[in-house]
Amino acid sequence: MIATRGGLVEMVDSPAPAGNDRLPDAVAHLKTVVERAQFPIELASTAEARAARTSLVTQLDDYVIPRLAALDAPLLVVVGGSTGSGKSTLVNSVVRETVSRSGVLRPTTRAPVLVHHEADREWFATKVLPRFGRLTGRSDSQGTVDDDMSSVRLVTSDSLPAGLALLDAPDIDSVVAANRELSRQLLNAADLWLFVTTAARYADAVPWDLLREAGDRGTSVAIVLDRVPDEAVVEVREDLARMLAEQRLDGAPIFTVRETVLEEGGLLPEGEVGPLRRWLATLAEDAGARQTVVRRTLSGALDSLSGRVTGLVEASDDQQMAASGLRRAADRAYDDALEGVELGVSDGTLLRGEVLARWQEFVGTGEFLRTIESGIGRIRDRITAAVKGQPQPADQLGEVLQSGVASLIQAQADRAASDVRRQWRNAPGGEVLLAHRTGLGMSSVDLPDRVDRLVRDWQSDLLAMIREEGQDKRTTARVLAYGVNALSVVLMLVVFTHTSGLTGAEGGIAAGSAVLGQRILEAIFGDQAVRDLARKARRDLMDRVQALYADEERRYLEAVDDVAVDTNQSSDLAQAAVSVRAAR
């Protein structure tokens, strides 16, 4: 910390930031890890995390890494403050010439001006603030606005001693957001922050947010209290000192500039800026004092890394949790849909209305239930006659069953898509994903066609199963007697005739249908074979539906995967911070 006693500069020692050559490498690795960290899912913590990541990377780039490489390099003093506080006038007055334009029009948008001694040109031209371009020479005398805020204007002055430079930063409370962001970036790159305020505005909230941050991070700070009426000097200075002490900045020197008339060229009188100039000159000429300032600020920046990285780790964990929650919502919805289909094809609910009517037409039932009691032979004769003479009832029954199972599969898929939409809208990050992905929240446009194809393919497999099961001569004759198509329809009916979902008369008919279908197949293939056929047919159908729903769900999972952070992001950030601490 820099302190004053009896008008002389006194440096209070602080811990050195580096003790070996591992620290620069560890910090460079941390910068790489932080730079590649992503926060793509829009959460409550996302905007802050993105800003914190950018701030950390820029400070590492602009200040920590170059400063670690050269602890004895010239000192960068960033002059910051509120709108109209007189920063540019102060800089010009310290060097006794106009090097930085000042004016009454706000906001002033221009490249920051960095004033340095000719001997320090290489350091400030190439090492400091590597993200910025470079402009050279003074702005034109007409005061034309220079809006290249991505560059720093370098101005040499013999009035400044070698070993120290002044950088005139934009207003910290500018109405232009880019100015505010640039001001913060430059302050983070300072070895010493020279904060300029006025007697009327020294208690404003915005500057104190930054001063509090500077105190927390151990940044070296000096204060210029500008435009102070003679009668208020003692009172205002004492109040400002009290406020600084509350923010752990009680060692920061305060320089008072009284309210006065500017001299020719818009400069403050020498008597007002002389103490500040001499203080800066002493700082520049004393290598030990300069290095103490650097080490204090650098140590503060390094000390802050752990907490700042912890914030990024927590935000990364938020991203992981959000992505996991969105995936679970999709998993649950399509798992429920699959269960719905499995229940629908096994509880008899498919055997309603038209299905039962077509079944009765198929077996020729005016005496439907009585023929069950009188034996399978007569039923076989009726079916055989129906198949050989009038094949239409079997085809119609197959079509109705196909339509029923297709409708069930489609309805459950639509419900799953609706469930995902509802849950994502209430889940962190889900609403934005739905808005950015066309088609999410509803079934795929081509799903009806894929469902129809699935059922047709399943029916084709049933035919193959019937043919395969009836390969021996005796069974083949029976299969041919009934017809492969007819028996595949009967097998479909058996698959769908567990009647727990039906009650009353319709349930009784369905139960009779199950018994009849079962007895028909058993007469041909035997009891065990029929059970195996039904189980295999049901499993084949459910496997197909599961694959179909997996394709539908994949749209949601891919949407999450596209924005999900690397699973190692949190641990990589934490480990990189640990490596920096270990290297220190």
Side-chain angles (χ1 to χ4, degrees), residues 34 39 46-58 308 311-312:
V34 172
F39 304 92
T46 298
E48 183 178 352
R50 289 170 181 164
R53 175 195 58 197
T54 300
S55 174
L56 182 51
V57 169
T58 53
R308 296 163 78 180
L312 298 180

Side-chain angles (χ1 to χ4, degrees), residues 380-381 383-384 387-388 466-484 486-487 520-521 523-525:
R380 182 197 62 200
D381 294 340
I383 292 177
T384 302
V387 171
K388 290 180 178 179
I466 294 294
R467 291 192 187 98
E468 182 179 353
E469 194 66 32
Q471 284 180 349
D472 65 85
K473 292 182 180 181
R474 182 169 173 272
T475 306
T476 298
R478 293 178 178 178
V479 169
L480 292 176
Y482 289 91
V484 174
L487 291 178
I520 291 171
L521 294 177
I524 299 172
F525 302 112

Side-chain angles (χ1 to χ4, degrees), residues 50-128:
R50 289 170 181 164
R53 175 195 58 197
T54 300
S55 174
L56 182 51
V57 169
T58 53
Q59 187 177 30
L60 293 174
D61 244 350
D62 293 345
Y63 178 68
V64 176
I65 292 175
R67 180 51 79 186
L68 278 173
L71 288 173
D72 58 348
L75 200 70
L76 179 61
V77 180
V78 174
V79 182
S82 303
T83 302
S85 61
K87 299 184 301 298
S88 298
T89 298
L90 182 70
V91 171
N92 293 336
S93 300
V94 168
V95 299
R96 306 315 292 169
E97 60 178 315
T98 302
V99 292
S100 182
R101 287 197 316 271
S102 59
V104 296
L105 296 179
R106 304 293 174 187
T108 301
T109 303
R110 55 178 172 77
V113 176
L114 193 157
V115 190
H116 62 88
H117 191 276
E118 177 65 30
D120 298 329
R121 176 187 296 274
E122 182 180 358
W123 173 254
F124 291 110
T126 61
K127 306 298 184 182
V128 177

